Amino acid sequence: MCGIVGYTGTNQAAPILLDGLGKLEYRGYDSAGIAIRNGEELAEVVKSTGKLRSLIEKTDSGRTLAGTCGIGHTRWATHGEPSQTNAHPHVSGNCSGSGSGQVESEVVGVHNGIIENYLELKEKLLRHGYQFYSDTDTEVVVKLIDYYYKKYKIGPVDAINRTLVRVRGTYALALMFRDYPGEIYAARKDAPMIIGITNGESYLASDVPALLNYTRNVYYIDNMQIARLLPGEVHFFDLNGDEVSLESTEITWDAKSAEKNGFEHFMIKEIYEQPDAVRDTLTSLIVDGRISLKDTGLDEDVLKSVSSFRIVACGSAWHVGMAAQYILEDMTGVPVRVELASEYRYRKILPQERELLIVISQSGETADSLAALRKAKDLGVRTLAVVNVVGSTIAREADHVLYTHAGPEIAVATTKAYSSQLIAMYCLAIQTAYDLGRIDDEKYAYYLSELNTIPEKIVRILEEKERIQWFAAKYSNARDIFYIGRGLDYAISLEGSLKAKEISYVHSEAYAAGELKHGTISLIEENVLVIGVLTQDDLFEKTVSNMVECKARGAYLMALTTYGNYNAEDSASFTVYVPKTDPHFMASLAVVPLQLLGYYIGVARGLDVDKPRNLAKSVTVE
Ligand code: G6P
C-alpha cells in the first residue's frame, strides 16, 4: 500500500527521497510524488503516474530540485483513480490543475490510509471557501489542518491535533508547513510510521527498508502521537500538545538483505534465503536443545492452561494457520480454529475461557489482522502475535510476541516469512505438547532434531530447481491449475495455489481432494493441470485415487511427494520429489517446489513477479 518517506538535514533531499521510495516500491503503488522545500521558498511538488522511474526521469534523479527538506509518497489508489492529480503530495492552497509546481500553500502533505468521514469534512471545508482539485481524502485532511492552523492561529502540532480528533479512519501523515522551513511533522493512527535520526539528519518512512541505507537508530511513533522532525533531532507530542519522550530502537536487519544481490527478482532471492530464515528462527527459539518461549512470556503454566487455540490471519499467514491447525491439534490434543481476520473482526465471537488467540503476520501491520487482535483483546482473550517486523503495531499490542527471523521480505508474494512462521508454529506445538505431557523427552528430542534438518533439506530441493523451471515454462500457458491434497497436504495446496495465481495470473484453485466430487470435478477437462500434493503417507492412496479420477477426465497430472514414493509415477505424468521429514513438518519442504513453480510460471509469462498487479505487500487498509 502507500509508501511514505521524509528527510530533513544537510544533504539534497530529493535524491534521498527517491532512493527511499525505490525501497518501498515493493509495497505496491500506481503513482508517486515528492515535495521539496528549499529554505524559505514554497514547496515544489512533482508527481507522476506509473512507475517511480518516470518521477526519477522528470526530476533528473532529484537533481533538478534544490532543497534539504522534503516528503515523498508512492500511492496505491483508494479514493479516486490513479492519476497525476490524485497522486500525493497534496497542498492546502486553492489551485487548478494537479496541485503540482510551487502552489501558494500553508500545508503540503502525504498520507497512507483511509479517512472514512472525508466527505463530511469536505463539505465543511467547501462551506469555508476551500476548493478541491483531486478526489482524494488526503487533500481533505491537508486542507482541514490548514483550516485549524489559520482559524485558531496555532502552531503545527496543535493544528494537527485538532484535525486528528475530527478524522475517523486509519492514517500515517507527513506534512510540511510554509512557516516552518526545514521541519516535517508526522502523525499516525493504525498505519506504520518510523523515524530515524543520525548526525544532523532526520528520516521518516512507512517501512524499515527505506531507512536501512541511512540509519539503524529508529523511533516507532505511537498511535495519535505527533512527531516534529528537525535536522538531526525529533520531538514527540501527545494529543494535548505536551512533549513526550520515546525510546529509540536499534534495527538489526542489514541493508544488503533488502537488495537483490544479483538475483533477478526479490522473490527468487527470498526463496533462496529460506534455509537461513528457517535456521535463524530455529536458533532464536531453540536454546541448548530446548524450545525457549521465555521472550514471549508464554511459560509452562500458560501453555498448560490453554483450552483452545484460535488462529487469525490473512493471505499466506492464514495458510500457515491452516497448516498449524493439523499440527497443533495432533500434537497437543487442544482444539484449534483458524479464521480469516477479515471475517473474525465482523462477526459475533463467543470466546472460550482460557482461549489463546494467535495472530500471524509478517508485517505486523495488516489492517484486518490488527483489528482482529484488538477485538480479541476487547473480549478479554489472551493474545499471541507471530510477527516478523520488530516494533510493528501488532507486535506492540499483543500480550505475547513470538518473532520470526526472516529478515526484510520485499517481494509481494511471501516465501521466507511463510517458512519462518511455520517454524514458529511447530515450536509452539511441540512445547505445548511437552508441557501437557503428551510427548516424552525422546519424542521431544526427535522433533527438534527433525526441525534442524529442514534448512539442509530445503537446500537440496533448491538444487533441483531446473526441472521445475522446465515444467513451468511448458505449462506457463495453462488456463487453470488445480492443487489437491488432504489434511496437511490441503494446507500446502492452498499456499501453492496462491503462489501461482498471485504472480502468474493463471487461474488456480486449491481443493481438499475429497471435495472434488462435490462440484469442482465438473471443471476438469482436457489439458487442465492438476497437482496432487502427497506428503502424508496415510492419505497417499486416497489422494492418488482423486488424481486418477481427474486424469480420466483429461487432466494432466503432476505429483509432489517424498523420495521413496515412486509409485506416484504410475499415475502422474510429472513427479517432483522432496526429502522426507516428520509428517508434521512436511509443509516446510513441499512448499518450496510450489513457490518455484509459481515463480517460474510468472517469469515465463514475462511478468514482474515482485510487483504483481493490484496487490500490495502490506495491506494496511481493509
Ligand atoms: C498480503 C501479502 C501476502 C501476505 C498477506 C498478509 O496479501 O501479499 O503475502 O500473506 O498480505 O500479510 P501479513 O503481513 O499480515 O503476513
Side-chain angles (χ1 to χ4, degrees):
M1 302 255 135
C2 305
I4 291 180
V5 292
Y7 169 79
T8 180
T10 52
N11 295 308
Q12 193 181 0
I16 295 171
L17 296 178
L18 291 171
D19 173 63
L21 290 179
K23 297 290 186 301
L24 299 183
E25 275 193 290
Y26 75 96
R27 294 171 65 93
Y29 70 103
D30 46 59
S31 52
I34 50 176
I36 303 291
R37 291 288 310 262
N38 188 15
E40 309 257 325
E41 282 177 30
L42 286 174
E44 172 89 25
V45 177
V46 188
K47 318 197 259 194
S48 68
T49 52
K51 293 289 172 202
L52 187 61
R53 176 117 305 275
S54 76
L55 186 65
I56 292 172
E57 280 164 11
K58 231 176 180 173
T59 60
D60 188 17
S61 300
R63 281 186 281 269
T64 58
L65 294 166
T68 56
C69 177
I71 52 179
H73 189 264
T74 43
R75 174 174 188 254
W76 192 89
T78 54
H79 293 81
E81 54 165 14
S83 67
Q84 186 164 319
T85 306
N86 288 332
H88 303 205
H90 285 289
V91 296
S92 62
N94 285 337
C95 63
S96 53
S98 67
S100 302
Q102 282 194 320
V103 179
E104 194 69 40
S105 263
E106 289 303 335
V107 191
V108 182
V110 296
H111 161 228
N112 171 19
I114 290 181
I115 305 298
E116 286 164 7
N117 56 339
Y118 83 107
L119 282 176
E120 159 202 330
L121 297 170
K122 189 169 184 176
E123 274 166 28
K124 168 192 166 85
L125 290 166
L126 284 167
R127 285 198 299 276
H128 285 90
Y130 282 87
Q131 294 162 16
F132 290 85
Y133 55 88
S134 79
D135 306 317
T136 65
D137 50 349
T138 307
E139 190 189 351
V140 175
V141 86
V142 168
K143 288 188 165 150
L144 190 63
I145 293 169
D146 178 74
Y147 169 75
Y148 288 127
Y149 182 69
K150 288 179 180 151
K151 179 174 175 189
Y152 297 107
K153 301 196 172 31
I154 47 183
V157 170
D158 292 327
I160 297 168
N161 268 340
R162 281 184 184 266
T163 307
L164 297 192
V165 294
R166 280 303 309 270
V167 299
R168 282 199 311 274
T170 55
Y171 47 81
L173 285 163
L175 304 147
M176 295 190 296
F177 288 73
R178 179 183 181 163
D179 302 333
Y180 295 81
E183 299 190 13
I184 300 172
Y185 291 81
R188 72 176 277 263
K189 178 170 171 279
D190 298 343
M193 179 72 96
I194 49 174
I195 289 159
I197 306 291
T198 59
N199 269 352
E201 333 277 334
S202 297
Y203 302 85
L204 177 82
S206 51
D207 210 351
V208 175
L211 297 186
L212 285 177
N213 275 341
Y214 307 102
T215 178
R216 296 299 148 76
N217 184 29
V218 302
Y219 294 89
Y220 293 95
I221 169 171
D222 265 335
N223 265 349
M224 307 299 272
Q225 277 184 341
I226 296 175
R228 173 180 174 226
L229 282 80
L230 297 105
E233 50 179 291
V234 59
H235 303 271
F236 299 99
F237 302 88
D238 64 15
L239 264 188
N240 298 320
D242 294 332
E243 190 154 352
V244 290
S245 64
L246 292 186
E247 294 284 310
S248 66
T249 310
E250 181 86 10
I251 297 176
T252 53
W253 293 353
D254 77 278
K256 278 232 167 331
S257 58
E259 305 283 346
K260 278 195 209 148
N261 294 338
F263 283 91
E264 198 182 338
H265 296 101
F266 278 109
M267 183 174 172
I268 188 73
K269 172 181 171 251
E270 289 163 4
I271 288 174
Y272 270 80
E273 283 173 345
Q274 289 182 110
D276 287 341
V278 166
R279 200 178 289 114
D280 291 348
T281 305
L282 281 172
T283 309
S284 74
L285 289 171
I286 303 177
V287 182
D288 297 333
R290 311 294 301 178
I291 293 168
S292 168
L293 300 176
K294 193 168 82 255
D295 292 345
T296 67
L298 286 170
D299 58 21
E300 186 179 336
D301 289 342
V302 175
L303 291 181
K304 275 162 76 173
S305 72
V306 172
S307 62
S308 62
F309 295 98
R310 194 194 300 257
I311 304 174
V312 291
C314 303
S316 295
W318 178 72
H319 296 161
V320 170
M322 289 293 284
Q325 177 182 29
Y326 295 103
I327 301 154
L328 266 171
E329 270 185 351
D330 194 53
M331 286 192 184
T332 69
V334 177
V336 183
R337 180 166 182 172
V338 188
E339 296 198 54
L340 291 164
S342 53
E343 290 294 311
Y344 176 89
R345 68 180 289 189
Y346 289 121
R347 70 180 188 81
K348 187 171 169 60
I349 298 293
L350 303 171
Q352 303 285 307
E353 226 181 295
R354 291 176 289 104
E355 169 181 321
L356 179 66
L357 180 126
I358 306 171
V359 179
I360 306 176
S361 175
Q362 186 282 129
S363 62
E365 302 291 350
T366 301
D368 286 324
S369 303
L370 176 60
L373 171 78
R374 288 183 177 159
K375 177 167 178 164
K377 289 191 75 178
D378 285 348
L379 291 167
V381 174
R382 186 189 286 271
T383 57
L384 164 69
V386 175
V387 169
N388 193 45
V389 178
V390 175
S392 54
T393 311
I394 290 175
R396 285 189 293 157
E397 293 193 13
D399 299 320
H400 307 274
V401 188
L402 203 168
Y403 280 115
T404 51
H405 290 260
E409 192 176 65
I410 307 293
V412 165
T414 179
T415 52
K416 61 176 181 168
Y418 169 92
S419 289
S420 321
Q421 288 161 351
L422 282 176
I423 296 293
M425 296 308 288
Y426 300 156
C427 288
L428 180 71
I430 296 166
Q431 193 57 41
T432 309
Y434 183 79
D435 289 344
L436 286 170
R438 305 245 332 169
I439 55 171
D440 59 16
D441 284 300
E442 197 185 332
K443 191 81 179 180
Y444 186 85
Y446 155 77
Y447 281 146
L448 296 202
S449 72
E450 280 297 298
L451 287 183
N452 283 323
T453 66
I454 290 176
E456 194 43 47
K457 287 173 180 165
I458 296 177
V459 171
R460 274 173 62 197
I461 297 167
L462 291 172
E463 279 164 3
E464 292 183 16
K465 76 166 175 44
E466 271 79 16
R467 275 193 84 226
I468 296 177
Q469 192 170 359
W470 168 82
F471 185 72
K474 191 164 161 211
Y475 271 87
S476 61
N477 287 322
R479 202 190 61 200
D480 306 288
I481 309 178
F482 290 90
Y483 294 71
I484 62 170
R486 289 167 185 258
L488 190 63
D489 288 335
Y490 169 51
I492 298 167
S493 300
L494 286 168
E495 180 60 6
S497 166
L498 182 63
K499 288 292 87 98
K501 79 175 97 176
E502 66 182 338
I503 48 182
S504 70
Y505 315 151
V506 172
H507 168 251
S508 77
E509 302 283 348
Y511 266 90
E515 265 302 287
L516 274 178
K517 288 201 196 71
H518 298 288
T520 313
I521 202 158
S522 64
L523 297 172
I524 304 294
E525 55 185 4
E526 205 66 24
N527 289 327
V528 165
L529 175 58
V530 173
I531 299 177
V533 181
L534 304 160
T535 73
Q536 305 294 302
D537 286 352
D538 53 336
L539 298 166
F540 182 91
E541 283 178 2
K542 295 253 174 242
T543 303
V544 167
S545 306
N546 299 125
M547 291 167 67
V548 170
E549 287 158 9
C550 294
K551 189 174 181 176
R553 286 156 182 84
Y556 184 92
L557 294 188
M558 170 182 147
L560 171 59
T561 189
T562 50
Y563 285 107
N565 281 334
Y566 301 116
N567 52 349
E569 291 182 29
D570 298 344
S571 318
S573 306
F574 182 73
T575 304
V576 174
Y577 296 99
V578 293
K580 255 192 172 25
T581 180
D582 181 83
H584 294 101
F585 311 143
M586 277 310 303
S588 292
L589 302 179
V591 77
V592 180
L594 300 182
Q595 294 167 340
L596 289 169
L597 185 64
Y599 172 76
Y600 283 118
I601 293 178
V603 170
R605 289 165 69 93
L607 300 169
D608 184 351
V609 291
D610 281 343
K611 294 186 247 25
R613 68 182 177 207
N614 306 334
L615 296 179
K617 177 71 182 158
S618 181
V619 182
T620 50
V621 294
E622 60 174 305

